[in-house]
Amino acid sequence: MEYALFLGCTAPIRGKHYESTARKVCEILGVDVVDVPDFACCGFPLANASAEAAFLMAARNLAAAEEKGVGAMMTLCSSCAASQVHVNREIRSNRKVMDRTNEALAEFGKHYTGSIEVKHLARVLWEDVGVDAIKAKVKRDLSSLKIAAHPGCHYVKPGEVHDCFDDVEDPKTLDELVAATGATPVSYEDKKLCCGGAVLGFEEKTALAMAKQKLDLVKASGADAMVSICPFCSVMYEANQGKIEEAYDVEYGMPVLYYTQLLGLALGVPEKELWFRMNSVKPSEMLAKVVIE
Amino acid sequence: MILHICTCKGLIDVPASPDFGSDVTVEVSECLCSKEGRAAVEASLGDDRRLVLAGCTPRILERFFGDIDSEMVNIREQGVFLGKGWDGIETMIRGGIERARAAEPVEKRERKISKKSVLVIGAGVSGLESARWLGEMGHDVVLVEEDPFVGGTVAKLDRLYPEGTPNSHTLYPLVNQVAGNDHIKVMTNTRVENVAGTVGDYRVTLRTSPRGVIECVQCGKCVPVCPESPVDHGVPRKAIFAQETYPDEYAIDFEACTRCGKCVEICPAKIDLDEPAREEEIAVGAIVVATGLRNFPIANLSAYGGGKIDRVMRAIDYERQIAAGIIAPEKVLVVHCAGSRDDNYLPYCSRVCCLIGMKEAKLTKDRFPNAEVYLSYIDMRCYGQFEYLYRTLRDQAGVVFLEGRPSEIFERGDRVVVRTEDIQSGEYLELEVDYVVLATGFEPDRETLAMLGLPSDLDFPYGYTGTTLSPDSNPQGIFLAGAAAFPRGVLESVESAREAAAGAHAVLSKDVVTFRTPVPRIEAEVCASLHCRLCVPTCPYGALSVVDEEMTVDETLCMGCGICSVTCPAGANTLEAWEDEAILAEVEAVADEGSIVAFLCKWSAYNAADRAGYDRLDMPSELRVIRVPCTGRVDATMVAGAFARGARGVLIGGCYPDSCHYRHGNTRAVSRVKLLQRFLSELGVDESRLRLEWFGSNEGQKLVSVVREMSGELASVGV
Amino acid sequence: MITERELDKKFGLEVADRYGGEAIRRCFSCGTCAASCPVGRFDSRFNPRRTIRMVLLGMRDQVLKSDFVWLCAGCHTCSERCPQGVHIPDIMTALKNMATEAGYTHPTLAKQIDLLKDFGRVFEVEEYDNKRRVKMGLPELKLRCEEVKIILDKLGVNS
């Protein structure tokens, strides 16, 4: 299993702890990761201005991965997954689209033949590594933890683009991944609710109201922490948690971990290397429930 | 060859002794379309059966001569009425003569109705009603039902829309009339395994599965001892049970029975858990299919919690649970169009679900006047008298109608949450209710339809039923009754069941049926050598199939459109009475330098030409009309033949999009004409010289305009 | 009131010609999208059903100059459920593109375009970031990507 690691824009700057722990768990679970310095933005935010330009940006990344000689690409961010998977699918399924794309890429000497498979990191863990293989490598007992998984939107939707690997109306794979660490995934209402990240730059109040709804429901579920697999979702629930608490005069203190941090914890990664200190809501209470040697 | 020319009581000037060559005997008469005319024509026929009738439009001539193999030349409506003199008329007649020369004789095809009994499949309300009428008419009926009791869906229901009358009103007298008729043999627990043969002589294999109860005194002792409680449409019963229809005996549901033997021990009569299944073959002359509806499985509706949330249920289960006193709802939402008009599930409207949904709302309010009842819909479809049900629900029952299709349904504690937009207020709405009723659509019984070789895919076979009793279809032996054809309510099912009974009666009451419509002739050797099967999917009626490696036409299904003939790349398939050679011969006889050859569909454009004649419109004299059954019958050689003779233009005139008499003949014509136009351009012929136009049967004026444009009289105005 | 003369009847067809807009005219206004929309739940200005209706009617300016046109989160909850196969998020993207082309670019988007042209990503990689990354054992990031600018310039995407 070898994947070009597509970092995207947000994770390597605002989610370094995500990137670091992702690399760590991949190493432990035998997923080889290759860096492609030539990767740039996946095009997702630019689609608002020009869907065509966004398409070419994603295609450019696919060409860069191919140039590197890797067969597959793995993203950390769900929106990166959505745009890279979607563009890849369009190019591979339509010869005309491929030709037109390559004409544009030729402008700077790039070319894409359609050889790359694209998946989100969590899908790689669920599909390629598998829940059983993860369970087999668990070293720490997390059974005392109740975790609210937030699958987010683009990890599974559009269903057709992602080969319907999960049920869009009842996504289960992230819960299964959480369960694989030994922690208990809690069910809560509106699990599919969007984090509002895509609206943040356009109407902050609305985006925060969306995130607040989820935090309310997660809090009510009695979860020790929330788990995310997308740096943008984490920005909404974690980085903006204080802002929401202030605006609505509420208190959550809800840690929002990246799934790779939780998984790393289960796999026995030294606590220091899980970078919990970089989480803006400190998961100290949660960690107190786990025996860390 | 015999040629009869009609002067139409002097309307048409015919010269003293018109000469069409030595082998053509000409007879001129005053009025062909009469009993006397028919007698004269019959008398004139000797050994040479080739016959040309020149007179009024075939629309009228066919009334008198439809069963005689002849070529008809319309020298009245499209001759004198359109200003043609004898020269023009003579050309038209020559066309008919050449066509007759090139045509193969059409044999009259008949089939003996050797078996006089009829099979009715399915003993729901439709099957019972068909059987009742056929029995009343004195036919011997075998009525088979898969379930242990007759009654079908209606027997499971509590009440019927629109008034909410108990099902007993309709069902009980019907069951009694059927069960009490000596002509009708009712076979429950029985499936049709196979059907072979054709109209007048079907051989049907029936399989009767064990009922388990051999003799029954209706003591009911078996019920309390039975340990199994399967759920039958929302309501639990025992694995041994009775139903208040027919027969008046208990039966065992062997899917639920564990063969514990407790019923056998207590039974004072006779139960046999090892009763064997029986097979038998019967022969019938006609078949009525009344297999009814299949409920759309709600488990497919994942956004609505279908199959996952107990309180989200099908209409039939909800109705039965209320009737059985299992539930007492205080707050209910009925969701219309659940999985209907939806590309992900059923793309069509099932017609009855709006009414079923409203019925559930009404019976909830009837039983529990204080219950809050909501009903969400995309469009309310309550045609005709059903509008009153809609009004009653709003006005008297106080049901709240919400315009908007719910987006998701989920559980919150022991309540069910529904999210929807109330479109009329524009508000986003969240409702918390006790129960959600999904008024889903219905699917056809694909297995039975497939076994009978009736065309159906996702959609119901209404294309088939549309033609079953059509006056221009060939005699059929299979009739669809009730909801088997398309979802119908009880009222309409009963009507359709009578229609099916009438159809079966029309066949069974004859000794011989005659086929009215021409069918394609297939040269087996040529066809077999190419083996392409291209024609099979082009048939709109599923009449073509490969039987024992040979392309076969089911004459009962064929409607004679000729679409398949044009598809055949080897020319091995040609439609009788409308053969390629015959049409081409007519084209070559009438087309000349500068003419406009028009292939006009007999259902639309040809009638438009008649209309132009009745209105005495100023039609360019260059027009040469070739009558065809459908634009889908026109092939490249016919068009090329016209151009080869110097035609200035070729017009193909048919029915407007979606309105083809043969479902999709005109769409076929569109793609063929496009191809032909490209081909013509490559040959240096201006592609505008080949035109395809749509006509209503009254659009004579449009036809005149189009022909004028093509003849260069008018600059194109783009009709 | 809006009079029929003020409507731009080509608007719907233009949207139908855009990527993902093909099925827009199949919409029968059932409201599934509006009831599914997580943005509309918290901000009544945004209603996908109403937006599509406005497009089909030809209310070009009312849509392209609106503030609601920017509010679709692109979560695809609606399109997964749409019974008529309308690709609602793609239509919203097309509308945002048309608004941008018409010069009504939202300031946030304009900023993102500038960042992309300068750095090839929507965040500038500062010296601090790479230092910090190295400290954490992560590879340094490239500071720029000229090729992204070439794509944007070629297609005339400007802030």
Side-chain angles (χ1 to χ4, degrees), chain A residues 76-108:
Chain A
L76 294 178
C77 165
S78 298
S79 296
C80 295
S83 60
Q84 293 293 159
V85 172
H86 157 72
V87 168
N88 196 33
R89 204 182 156 89
E90 293 277 305
I91 292 177
R92 288 166 140 204
S93 63
N94 189 330
R95 186 78 221 178
K96 272 189 196 153
V97 173
M98 183 184 280
D99 291 346
R100 224 171 29 224
T101 306
N102 279 324
E103 230 170 82
L105 294 182
E107 194 81 23
F108 35 81

Side-chain angles (χ1 to χ4, degrees), chain B residues 262-425:
Chain B
K262 289 194 176 122
C263 57
V264 181
E265 281 166 30
I266 206 160
C267 178
K270 190 177 175 193
I271 292 174
D272 179 1
L273 297 177
D274 300 313
E275 184 192 358
R278 293 185 309 273
E279 262 196 24
E280 69 177 286
E281 195 179 280
I282 60 168
V284 295
I287 299 172
V288 172
V289 182
T291 49
L293 304 162
R294 298 289 174 270
N295 279 292
F296 180 76
I298 59 169
N300 293 1
L301 303 172
S302 55
Y304 287 175
K308 275 186 288 191
I309 307 174
D310 287 344
R311 288 165 175 266
V312 174
M313 54 181 100
R314 302 186 300 181
I316 190 167
D317 301 341
Y318 174 79
E319 177 172 337
R320 285 165 59 83
Q321 291 196 13
I322 285 191
I326 296 173
I327 57 170
E330 287 172 11
K331 202 170 176 189
V332 181
L333 172 77
V334 181
V335 180
H336 282 203
C337 281
S340 288
R341 306 167 69 201
D342 189 328
D343 280 1
N344 305 304
Y345 310 107
L346 301 179
Y348 49 84
C349 161
S350 285
R351 185 163 61 181
V352 291
C353 358
C354 270
L355 307 164
I356 293 172
M358 284 199 292
K359 180 189 75 175
E360 306 311 341
K362 181 168 189 295
L363 66 86
T364 306
K365 290 299 271 189
D366 283 351
R367 278 289 296 274
F368 309 101
N370 295 325
E372 281 179 64
V373 180
Y374 295 87
L375 187 153
S376 63
Y377 65 95
I378 305 174
D379 299 289
M380 285 305 298
R381 293 186 168 171
C382 12
Y383 55 101
Q385 80 272 33
F386 301 124
E387 183 67 26
Y388 295 108
L389 174 58
Y390 185 23
R391 187 166 74 185
T392 304
L393 286 186
R394 295 192 313 268
D395 180 25
Q396 289 163 38
V399 171
V400 180
F401 285 77
L402 304 169
E403 183 185 348
R405 181 179 171 278
S407 61
E408 59 182 322
I409 297 170
F410 56 91
E411 270 178 311
R412 183 182 287 155
D414 61 354
R415 306 276 271 175
V416 187
V417 180
V418 182
R419 287 190 173 142
T420 190
E421 185 195 12
D422 177 53
I423 290 179
Q424 290 172 358
S425 66

Side-chain angles (χ1 to χ4, degrees), chain A:
Chain A
M1 264 179 283
E2 190 185 57
Y3 283 90
L5 183 63
F6 188 82
L7 299 172
C9 300
T10 315
I13 310 285
R14 299 185 68 176
K16 298 182 187 79
H17 48 319
Y18 181 21
E19 181 186 337
S20 173
T21 47
R23 288 177 189 271
K24 210 139 285 162
V25 299
C26 280
E27 196 188 313
I28 296 171
L29 296 170
V31 179
D32 295 332
V33 158
V34 178
D35 279 290
V36 182
D38 199 19
F39 280 155
C41 171
C42 70
F44 187 84
L46 188 71
N48 286 333
S50 166
E52 200 183 342
F55 191 99
L56 289 177
M57 284 169 64
R60 201 198 73 83
N61 292 324
L62 293 166
E66 205 172 66
E67 216 170 64
K68 190 83 180 178
V70 220
M73 176 196 263
M74 171 169 79
T75 75
L76 294 178
C77 165
S78 298
S79 296
C80 295
S83 60
Q84 293 293 159
V85 172
H86 157 72
V87 168
N88 196 33
R89 204 182 156 89
E90 293 277 305
I91 292 177
R92 288 166 140 204
S93 63
N94 189 330
R95 186 78 221 178
K96 272 189 196 153
V97 173
M98 183 184 280
D99 291 346
R100 224 171 29 224
T101 306
N102 279 324
E103 230 170 82
L105 294 182
E107 194 81 23
F108 35 81
K110 276 201 162 57
H111 188 84
Y112 180 51
T113 66
S115 67
I116 304 287
E117 297 286 339
V118 188
K119 282 180 191 177
H120 186 281
L121 162 73
R123 184 173 170 190
V124 172
L125 294 176
W126 186 79
E127 218 168 52
D128 298 16
V129 177
V131 166
D132 293 336
I134 292 173
K135 279 184 191 161
K137 296 214 165 161
V138 166
K139 297 232 166 64
R140 290 196 185 107
D141 178 12
L142 305 189
S143 61
S144 57
L145 299 184
K146 285 196 280 179
I147 300 292
H150 167 73
C153 305
H154 300 128
Y155 170 53
V156 289
K157 286 183 279 198
E160 201 192 334
V161 168
H162 294 288
D163 315 309
C164 300
F165 83 97
D166 204 343
D167 180 350
V168 295
E169 291 296 348
D170 186 15
K172 297 180 194 78
T173 56
L174 188 57
D175 278 320
E176 289 174 25
L177 285 172
V178 167
T181 68
T184 307
V186 296
S187 63
Y188 62 99
E189 198 173 299
D190 262 333
K191 182 181 272 180
K192 292 171 283 178
L193 185 69
C194 167
C195 69
V199 186
L200 187 65
F202 298 98
E203 200 56 72
E204 191 183 81
K205 232 179 107 188
T206 308
L208 295 183
M210 290 166 73
K212 175 189 183 285
Q213 170 76 5
K214 184 117 200 179
L215 286 168
D216 284 343
L217 293 163
V218 167
K219 184 85 188 166
S221 76
D224 296 306
M226 199 171 157
V227 145
S228 144
I229 48 168
C230 171
F232 229 79
C233 299
S234 282
V235 164
M236 288 309 299
Y237 297 128
E238 194 187 26
N240 280 303
Q241 201 176 107
K243 212 177 217 173
I244 296 168
E245 287 176 329
E246 204 172 306
Y248 291 90
D249 194 19
V250 281
E251 236 179 88
Y252 298 114
M254 177 59 63
V256 183
L257 306 182
Y258 284 107
Y259 172 69
T260 47
Q261 291 181 290
L262 182 77
L263 177 57
L265 186 64
L267 296 178
V269 174
E271 194 188 346
K272 206 177 152 227
E273 292 172 31
L274 293 168
W275 308 105
F276 290 120
R277 59 187 179 280
M278 289 177 76
N279 287 84
S280 51
V281 181
K282 305 291 174 246
S284 356
E285 275 181 44
M286 182 203 98
L287 289 173
K289 293 187 177 180
V290 183
V291 181
I292 301 172
E293 62 299 329

Side-chain angles (χ1 to χ4, degrees), chain B residues 668-681 687 690 692:
Chain B
R668 293 266 160 194
V670 171
S671 44
R672 285 167 185 166
V673 165
K674 273 190 192 140
L675 257 172
L676 263 173
Q677 282 174 328
R678 205 172 340 140
F679 184 64
L680 287 173
S681 316
E687 62 172 43
L690 171 62
L692 178 65

